Amino acid sequence: MDKLIRATAADNTVRIMAAITTETVAEAVRRHQTSPTVSAAFGRVLTGTLLLGAGLKDFDRLTVKIECEGPVGGIVAETNLSGTVRGYVRNPLAELPPKENGKFDVSGIIGDGMFHVIREVGFDVGSYQTPYHGSVPLYTSEIAEDFAYYLLKSEQIPSAVLLGVLLENVAPFVRAAGGIILQMMPGANEHIITMIEDTIRHAPHLTSVINEGATPKDLIELALGIIDYEILEEKTVEFACSCSMERTIEMVRSLGKSEVEAMLSEDKGATITCGFCNEVYRLDEEQLQEIADSF
Ligand code: ZN
């Protein structure tokens, strides 16, 4: 199971979230059948969203939405406090040749666009409040820098963000994935910031250490070097969706009696695919009739 750790250092002036997301990203790639470059981009967004969510408490649902002009067309990821994430991409099969250095052309597949964060509160307890919505233009479209730019510009939190996805040619295609977000809170000591920046600059590649079996704790140590830290929370993270047959029936019912009757007479059934996880729900004639009779 993938794990995420939230920790603090330097008298609470530095916050750290670190996660291994190899299985989470592999499941997302399996469900959405994404091309290699889209898998790299999608995996970074899913990991960044989990880490961003772990650093916050005031939401039920946090959505990161990338609206972009590149071939992928857009990426959405959504997380909650329990540590699950789900998401989708507009064009899963978009692809570009690798960059000259051999890396996936994530910035090319995304292109220019906007980075949105939406935090919703009260959804599950029936007291829905106006969602918080922060947006910034995409900065480099390599994803990690875009999360950092968002945190700085929209939330005024100077941050270092590292996100990595290592792919391979055989299923499940994702060999290693994970990330770290370090946030400098008010009062953070300049000396500590310089030490962390220096440690990160000289650290080995994130995906190579994850591939060698690193834990979230190892990632924290990789970023903090000799600085002491305290673990505040450790949890399991996974790709999971809230869709179900029950919710699908509710959704079909919400279309109205005449629409349900049309489905019955024209198709003798209905097939509904969840956009977030690609799960397919099939309603047969009998189930549709039951919905039609319930009006
Ligand atoms: Zn679903």
Side-chain angles (χ1 to χ4, degrees):
M1 285 293 253
D2 287 338
K3 287 268 190 304
L4 184 149
I5 285 184
R6 186 165 61 87
T8 180
D11 290 328
N12 294 320
T13 59
V14 179
R15 290 201 299 212
I16 314 111
M17 281 75 70
I20 305 295
T21 57
T22 309
E23 290 174 36
T24 305
V25 176
E27 178 68 4
V29 164
R30 186 184 72 77
R31 286 185 172 271
H32 290 281
Q33 300 284 302
T34 43
S35 75
T37 307
V38 173
S39 300
F42 192 26
R44 291 182 198 176
V45 175
L46 290 166
T47 303
T49 302
L50 274 172
L51 294 170
L52 187 66
L56 296 161
K57 283 280 158 260
D58 55 339
F59 72 94
D60 295 326
R61 190 158 71 182
L62 179 144
T63 307
V64 170
K65 193 160 125 193
I66 292 175
E67 286 177 340
C68 57
E69 293 164 8
V72 72
I75 301 179
V76 174
E78 187 194 285
T79 189
N80 53 38
L81 287 178
S82 70
T84 65
V85 69
R86 59 179 189 167
Y88 58 89
V89 298
R90 184 158 295 168
N91 303 315
L93 297 175
E95 190 52 304
L96 285 177
K99 292 198 273 199
E100 270 175 30
N101 59 9
K103 299 206 178 226
F104 292 113
D105 192 359
V106 170
S107 57
I109 209 109
I110 289 180
D112 289 336
M114 293 296 291
F115 185 97
H116 304 277
V117 174
I118 301 130
R119 293 207 297 264
E120 294 162 279
V121 194
F123 198 73
D124 294 333
V125 290
S127 70
Y128 193 67
Q129 296 165 27
T130 310
Y132 162 86
H133 188 162
S135 304
V136 291
L138 286 168
Y139 187 58
T140 63
S141 301
E142 287 285 338
I143 310 296
E145 290 89 344
D146 301 295
F147 271 93
Y149 187 69
Y150 163 79
L151 280 163
L152 181 66
K153 291 292 168 185
S154 195
E155 310 222 3
Q156 286 76 50
I157 305 173
S159 307
V161 182
L162 304 175
L163 301 170
V165 177
L166 182 67
L167 300 177
E168 60 188 352
N169 289 328
V170 289
F173 304 110
V174 180
R175 195 172 171 93
I180 316 172
I181 295 185
L182 284 126
Q183 301 179 327
M184 310 301 165
M185 306 317 285
N189 178 310
E190 279 302 325
H191 179 60
I192 294 274
I193 296 175
T194 312
M195 272 173 77
I196 292 173
E197 281 171 349
D198 204 51
T199 308
I200 291 177
R201 201 171 304 125
H202 295 104
H205 228 272
L206 198 65
T207 47
S208 30
V209 297
I210 297 171
N211 190 30
E212 283 158 18
T215 62
K217 213 164 156 275
D218 295 328
L219 299 190
I220 291 177
E221 283 160 19
L222 177 141
L224 288 182
I226 55 160
I227 299 168
D228 277 338
Y229 63 94
E230 184 194 342
I231 292 176
L232 300 176
E233 185 188 12
E234 185 167 1
K235 63 182 174 186
T236 300
V237 293
E238 63 176 341
F239 185 97
C241 192
S242 52
C243 66
S244 62
M245 186 50 123
E246 205 179 358
R247 286 193 179 196
T248 306
I249 290 171
E250 255 171 57
M251 194 276 287
V252 170
R253 193 172 190 282
S254 72
L255 297 173
K257 191 176 166 77
S258 58
E259 190 66 28
V260 176
E261 280 171 346
M263 285 175 171
L264 258 175
S265 60
E266 286 161 28
D267 304 318
K268 312 261 178 270
T271 302
I272 289 111
T273 305
C274 173
F276 273 107
C277 68
N278 266 349
E279 192 73 38
V280 178
Y281 295 94
R282 288 195 179 82
L283 302 186
D284 60 19
E285 202 170 354
E286 198 180 318
Q287 283 168 306
L288 274 185
Q289 191 61 58
E290 216 170 276
I291 300 171
D293 292 344
S294 72
F295 285 102

